[in-house]
């Protein structure tokens, strides 16, 4: 069901009003899947993806699982080398835990677990992830490093 021009204008006005109250720069791009007018704000600016990066990671994980390259039921040992600062629950659990790949994906998406994310990145590979991002048409999106590398580079480590 296409959104009409009045609804689009109302949504655009609402996005702009919310953004005006934010102490920072807001970027938005929304396009109806069935075509029609877009709603956007600062659409040409480059932003850090932050945890949104976990969505294309999940897409690539499931693409590889569907192709038989990754077994979602495979268990991976959680070790000290997997620790990543920031969000998540794995960092608070004991080493030696062996979650399934599907468990890691669930943690990555539901609680934005950074360690789970990097463990999945180790499986799928950054090069393959970036290729998938291009195939999805996200030509201005690049994922150059793991979550750990991103966080460490942010604070100069």
């Amino acid at each position: 069901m296409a959104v009409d021009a009045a609804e689009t204008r109302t949504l655009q006005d609402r996005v702009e009003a919310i953004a005006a109250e934010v102490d920072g720069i807001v970027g938005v791009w929304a396009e109806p899947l069935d075509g029609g007018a877009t709603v956007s704000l600062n659409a040409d600016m480059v932003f850090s993806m932050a945890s949104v990066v976990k969505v294309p990671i999940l897409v690539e994980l499931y693409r590889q699982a569907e192709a038989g390259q990754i077994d979602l039921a495979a268990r991976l040992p959680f070790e000290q080398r997997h620790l990543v600062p920031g969000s998540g629950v794995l960092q608070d659990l004991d080493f030696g835990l062996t979650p399934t790949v599907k468990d890691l994906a669930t943690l990555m998406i539901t609680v934005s677990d950074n360690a789970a994310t990097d463990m999945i990145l180790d499986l799928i590979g950054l090069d393959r992830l970036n290729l998938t991002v291009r195939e999805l048409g996200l030509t201005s999106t690049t994922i150059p490093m793991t979550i750990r590398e991103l966080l460490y580079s942010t604070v100069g480590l």
Side-chain angles (χ1 to χ4, degrees):
M1 182 168 113
V3 178
D4 69 27
E7 290 174 314
T8 301
R9 184 71 245 161
T10 299
L11 182 56
Q12 180 73 41
D13 291 344
R14 182 72 181 126
V15 166
E16 290 174 7
I18 292 169
E21 296 178 19
V22 173
D23 182 22
I25 300 171
V26 174
V28 173
W29 177 270
E31 180 177 348
L33 295 176
D34 60 357
T38 60
V39 172
S40 65
L41 182 65
N42 296 319
D44 294 328
M45 291 186 71
V46 175
F47 290 90
S48 173
M49 289 181 70
S51 284
V52 173
V53 72
K54 294 166 182 173
V55 174
I57 292 170
L58 187 67
V59 168
E60 178 55 25
L61 172 67
Y62 276 85
R63 279 184 165 193
Q64 289 186 28
E66 188 173 79
Q69 299 166 328
I70 290 179
D71 178 4
L72 296 175
R75 293 193 172 273
L76 301 175
F78 176 60
E79 301 169 345
Q80 186 167 1
R81 67 185 176 90
H82 293 123
L83 285 177
V84 178
S87 62
V89 297
L90 282 179
Q91 64 190 347
D92 297 319
L93 302 178
D94 292 331
F95 300 120
L97 178 73
T98 56
T100 65
V101 174
K102 183 177 180 260
D103 293 337
L104 294 171
T106 300
L107 289 170
M108 175 180 73
I109 291 300
T110 60
V111 295
S112 197
D113 195 292
N114 290 337
T117 303
D118 275 1
M119 290 175 75
I120 291 172
L121 273 173
D122 285 347
L123 283 177
I124 66 172
L126 274 174
D127 290 342
R128 182 60 227 171
L129 174 60
N130 279 293
L131 183 58
T132 292
V133 166
R134 295 286 163 277
E135 290 170 358
L136 292 172
L138 303 172
T139 58
S140 297
T141 300
T142 303
I143 304 163
M145 59 188 76
T146 66
I147 303 299
R148 176 187 292 110
E149 291 167 339
L150 175 66
L151 292 171
Y152 282 10
S153 69
T154 301
V155 296
L157 293 175

